[in-house]
């Protein structure tokens, strides 16, 4: 029997995007939920994925939930990313309360599209539709001046739906649970220097076939710093430009000897316009630079990012985020 593309092939494609960038021989296989490490959000992607110390937008739910505590107001957001293997979409809603903190929910879909199942030289006899789903319930709050804490519970699912005659590529559903937890602390005037620490994707194994073949979640530890400085103003100007530099280190849980590095630079005029660039120093073909821009008009914000690969033949990702303050 011949098939155009199997579900196992799809999983191999996904792991090639980035999730195994920090994996070395002897590491546990992370097959079923590697989509969790696909970058998400136009702001963080443009900054080279240096986001452990970033905050103030709903994107923090993907990087460090402690950054959600910096949301200036309630927010609704749509995030979309296009990679060589999938189309990824997330919808978020967060409510802010001065005393209670920030609470919200995010629904995230990674869609690999439909794949034809063909037997022999004939026409397709069926179709399979592999997807990854994630639902995040997040909470963040300021504990003391400058110190924030965030937690996200995550429902994670891989599913393969079949229509027609799919042979061995039958309907498959695997579900598991995980958490993200993080802290951030700001120093100096207006928290000009901010540090962040997050443990992401910690939880139970994802079982697709049987217990012996269950895959561990790709748990990561990420630490970062962000430093903001006011740039010199023109003579007589009431307002000027500012710049931020962000640096992150990330490694697999329990393996801290050779972390990946991420750096980002942002220059902007208040929140009206932000020009961003970054570089992800990864041990994979997806290492490379990124560029992007952020625009804000009233309570409407738009963030765009384009990622470039140094040595990969894969189509390079594009990210777009639309956020609305409520």
């Amino acid at each position: 029997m011949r098939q155009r593309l199997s579900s196992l092939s799809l999983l191999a494609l996904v792991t090639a995007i980035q999730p195994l960038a920090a994996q070395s021989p002897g590491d546990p296989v992370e097959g079923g939920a590697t989509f969790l490490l696909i970058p998400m959000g136009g702001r963080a992607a443009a900054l080279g994925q240096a986001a452990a110390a970033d905050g103030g937008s709903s994107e923090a739910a993907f990087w460090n939930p402690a950054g959600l505590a910096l949301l200036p107001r309630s927010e609704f957001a749509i995030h979309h990313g296009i990679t060589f293997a999938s189309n990824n979409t997330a919808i978020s809603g967060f409510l802010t309360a001065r005393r209670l903190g920030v609470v919200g929910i995010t629904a995230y879909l990674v869609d690999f599209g439909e794949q034809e199942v063909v037997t022999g030289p004939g026409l397709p006899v069926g179709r399979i539709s592999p997807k990854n789903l994630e639902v995040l319930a997040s909470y963040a709050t300021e504990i003391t001046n400058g110190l924030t804490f965030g937690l996200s519970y995550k429902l994670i699912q891989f599913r393969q739906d079949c229509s027609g005659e799919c042979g061995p590529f039958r309907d498959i559903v695997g579900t598991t649970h995980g958490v993200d937890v993080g802290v951030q602390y700001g120093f100096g005037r207006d928290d000009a220097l901010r540090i962040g620490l997050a443990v992401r994707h910690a939880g139970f194994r994802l079982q697709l076939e049987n217990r012996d073949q269950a895959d561990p979640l790709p748990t990561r530890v990420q630490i970062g710093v962000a430093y903001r400085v006011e740039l010199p103003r023109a003579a007589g100007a009431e307002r000027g430009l500012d710049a931020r530099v962000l640096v992150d280190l990330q490694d697999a849980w329990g393996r801290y000897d050779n972390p990946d590095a991420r750096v980002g630079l942002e220059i902007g005029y208040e929140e009206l316009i932000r020009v961003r660039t970054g570089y992800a120093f990864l041990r994979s073909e997806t290492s490379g630079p990124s560029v992007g821009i952020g625009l804000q008009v009233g309570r409407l914000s738009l963030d765009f990012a384009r990622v470039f690969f140094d040595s990969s033949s894969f189509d390079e990702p594009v990210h777009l985020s639309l956020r609305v303050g409520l």
Side-chain angles (χ1 to χ4, degrees), residues 1-22:
M1 187 180 78
R2 178 175 62 89
Q3 67 283 339
R4 300 272 175 91
L5 191 60
S6 73
S7 59
L8 295 179
S9 299
L10 284 167
L11 289 176
L13 285 173
V14 177
T15 57
I17 299 174
Q18 165 181 321
L20 296 186

Side-chain angles (χ1 to χ4, degrees), residues 154 156 176-180 199-206 215-219:
K154 310 169 76 165
I156 302 162
T176 190
H177 308 271
V179 295
D180 291 353
V199 178
R200 304 165 56 203
H201 324 310
F204 302 102
R205 290 172 174 258
L206 178 62
D215 297 321
L217 296 185
T219 307

Side-chain angles (χ1 to χ4, degrees), residues 93-281:
F94 289 91
L95 298 176
T96 62
R98 180 175 301 179
R99 294 185 178 181
L100 298 179
V102 178
V103 63
I105 191 166
T106 301
Y108 179 30
L109 170 66
V110 177
D111 189 350
F112 299 103
E114 290 189 340
Q115 309 296 328
E116 295 179 343
V117 177
V118 179
T119 58
L123 296 174
V125 296
R127 292 178 179 271
I128 57 173
S129 179
K131 296 179 176 66
N132 281 111
L133 306 171
E134 181 184 31
V135 177
L136 301 89
S138 304
Y139 173 75
T141 187
E142 184 177 36
I143 299 176
T144 63
N145 290 336
L147 178 63
T148 62
F149 168 82
L151 176 69
S152 292
Y153 157 77
K154 310 169 76 165
L155 176 67
I156 302 162
Q157 183 178 90
F158 171 83
R159 64 181 304 121
Q160 176 180 279
D161 298 318
C162 165
S163 61
E165 298 293 332
C166 298
F169 307 117
R170 62 191 187 283
D171 290 344
I172 299 175
V173 177
T175 303
T176 190
H177 308 271
V179 295
D180 291 353
V181 61
V183 293
Q184 291 183 352
Y185 189 75
F187 300 85
R189 182 180 177 182
D190 299 327
D191 292 345
L193 175 65
R194 195 164 189 86
I195 63 173
L197 172 66
V199 178
R200 304 165 56 203
H201 324 310
F204 302 102
R205 290 172 174 258
L206 178 62
Q207 180 178 326
L208 298 180
E209 295 290 342
N210 55 58
R211 186 181 301 274
D212 292 336
Q213 294 178 337
D215 297 321
L217 296 185
T219 307
R220 295 293 186 267
V221 178
Q222 190 158 342
I223 185 171
V225 297
Y227 181 68
R228 180 175 51 81
V229 61
E230 298 288 338
L231 300 179
R233 300 181 183 179
E238 295 183 0
R239 301 174 181 176
L241 302 177
D242 68 273
R244 289 199 311 151
V245 178
L246 302 93
V247 180
D248 277 20
L249 296 176
Q250 177 184 283
D251 212 339
W253 177 265
R255 297 181 62 90
Y256 314 119
D257 55 339
N258 192 17
D260 288 330
R262 295 158 166 83
V263 296
L265 173 64
E266 177 182 71
I267 299 176
Y269 179 76
E270 296 188 332
E271 295 300 322
L272 178 62
I273 182 169
R274 315 293 298 181
V275 178
R276 303 174 178 125
T277 187
Y279 199 101
F281 296 90

Side-chain angles (χ1 to χ4, degrees), residues 22-28 255 283:
Q23 190 168 6
S24 302
D27 286 352
R255 297 181 62 90
R283 283 170 286 142

Side-chain angles (χ1 to χ4, degrees), residues 18 45-49 261-263 277-291 306-312 316:
Q18 165 181 321
L47 292 169
Q49 307 167 41
R262 295 158 166 83
V263 296
T277 187
Y279 199 101
F281 296 90
L282 310 178
R283 283 170 286 142
S284 78
E285 292 184 346
T286 58
S287 180
S290 54
V291 295
R306 175 68 185 272
V307 179
F308 302 91
F309 297 150
D310 282 341
S311 59
S312 174
E316 295 164 328

